[in-house]
């Protein structure tokens, strides 16, 4: 378990702030900022079931880092509540979060994340799923395609706000590929293509 910690300017190939493999992680009140890694500059979770509340992932990565600069989760279950993923930058996909597996996000703010290239460069990129997002705000994110959310597999979006995504591809708010989804009581506003 990890509680009430701050991690600043961590560096590593995977998980500049936190690396967890084949684990059960419970975390709350963590702040990880200005860390760098090839994948998951803030957090890298491999085959890890994570339940996290009050996590702040700010300004992780750089334009030269490969992908998924805020959080990378592969082959595990992710539960993230009352958290902020903001100002992360990646060269390719998943500037805020890249999730390959099951995820549920509740009351999260995903804002001002940037990626520069990639076919599916969402601030949140989720493949395989299922993905559930409830009462989340996805704001002011930029990427070449699907800068807000890109999802494959099953997904549910409830009471979410998607606003001011900026990109040059399709699906500025939500891009879905080979997906089955439910969207209820969500707002989509002020997206712009360049």
């Amino acid at each position: 378990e990890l509680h009430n910690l701050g991690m600043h300017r961590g560096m590593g190939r995977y998980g500049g702030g936190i690396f967890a493999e084949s684990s059960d992680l419970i975390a709350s009140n963590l702040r990880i900022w200005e860390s760098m890694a090839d994948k998951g500059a803030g957090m890298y979770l491999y085959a890890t079931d994570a339940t996290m509340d009050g996590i702040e992932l700010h300004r992780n990565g750089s334009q030269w880092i490969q992908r998924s600069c805020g959080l990378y989760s592969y082959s595990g279950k992710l539960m993230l509540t009352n958290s902020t993923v903001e100002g992360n930058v990646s060269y390719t996909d998943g500037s805020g979060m890249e999730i390959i597996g099951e995820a549920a996000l509740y009351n999260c703010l995903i804002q001002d994340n940037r990626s520069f290239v990639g076919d599916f460069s969402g601030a949140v990129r989720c493949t395989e799923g299922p993905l559930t997002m409830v009462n989340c705000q996805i704001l002011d994110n930029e990427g070449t395609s699907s800068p807000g959310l890109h999802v494959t597999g099953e997904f549910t979006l409830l009471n979410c706000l998607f606003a001011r995504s900026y990109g040059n591809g399709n699906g500025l708010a939500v891009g879905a590929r080979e997906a089955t989804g439910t969207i209820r009581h969500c707002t989509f506003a002020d997206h712009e293509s360049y």
Side-chain angles (χ1 to χ4, degrees):
E1 294 188 16
L2 297 172
H3 304 286
N4 305 312
L5 294 173
M7 298 173 198
H8 185 223
R9 295 189 179 168
M11 186 174 286
R13 183 167 182 201
Y14 302 115
I18 291 175
F19 175 90
E21 181 175 355
S22 302
S23 303
D24 290 321
L25 175 64
I26 297 173
S28 66
N29 302 318
L30 301 182
R31 182 172 187 239
I32 302 170
W33 74 105
E34 296 178 356
S35 294
M36 297 178 67
D38 285 345
K39 281 189 181 179
M43 301 179 81
Y44 183 98
L45 309 174
Y46 183 86
T48 292
D49 292 342
T51 301
M52 302 188 293
D53 181 72
I55 308 301
E56 297 181 19
L57 299 169
H58 294 284
R59 298 186 311 272
N60 295 292
S62 78
Q63 64 181 352
W64 310 113
I65 300 304
Q66 292 181 0
R67 61 193 307 161
S68 58
C69 280
L71 181 147
Y72 179 82
S73 176
Y74 179 82
S75 189
K77 294 180 183 178
L78 173 66
M79 168 75 77
L80 187 66
T81 58
N82 305 311
S83 295
T84 301
V85 180
E86 183 175 24
N88 299 287
V89 179
S90 69
Y91 188 68
T92 63
D93 302 330
S95 56
M97 296 190 294
E98 183 170 12
I99 304 158
I100 302 170
E102 185 176 337
L105 283 63
Y106 294 88
N107 305 311
C108 292
L109 172 64
I110 298 132
Q111 183 171 15
D112 287 323
N113 298 286
R114 306 278 180 262
S115 56
F116 299 101
V117 299
D119 294 331
F120 312 111
S121 57
V124 177
R125 181 178 185 220
C126 184
T127 58
E128 297 182 16
L131 170 68
T132 300
M133 295 178 74
V134 179
N135 296 327
C136 293
Q137 296 182 54
I138 298 86
L139 310 172
D140 304 304
N141 296 290
E142 182 178 349
T144 54
S145 182
S146 306
L149 167 67
H150 182 268
V151 62
T152 60
E154 185 180 332
F155 70 97
T156 301
L157 307 176
L158 300 173
N159 301 318
C160 293
L161 170 62
F162 291 83
R164 300 181 303 273
S165 293
Y166 185 66
N168 69 358
N170 299 319
L172 292 176
V174 176
R177 183 180 209 179
E178 299 175 7
T180 303
T182 300
I183 300 173
R184 290 190 179 144
H185 308 292
C186 292
T187 301
F188 302 90
D190 301 321
H191 302 286
E192 185 177 346
S193 181
Y194 55 82

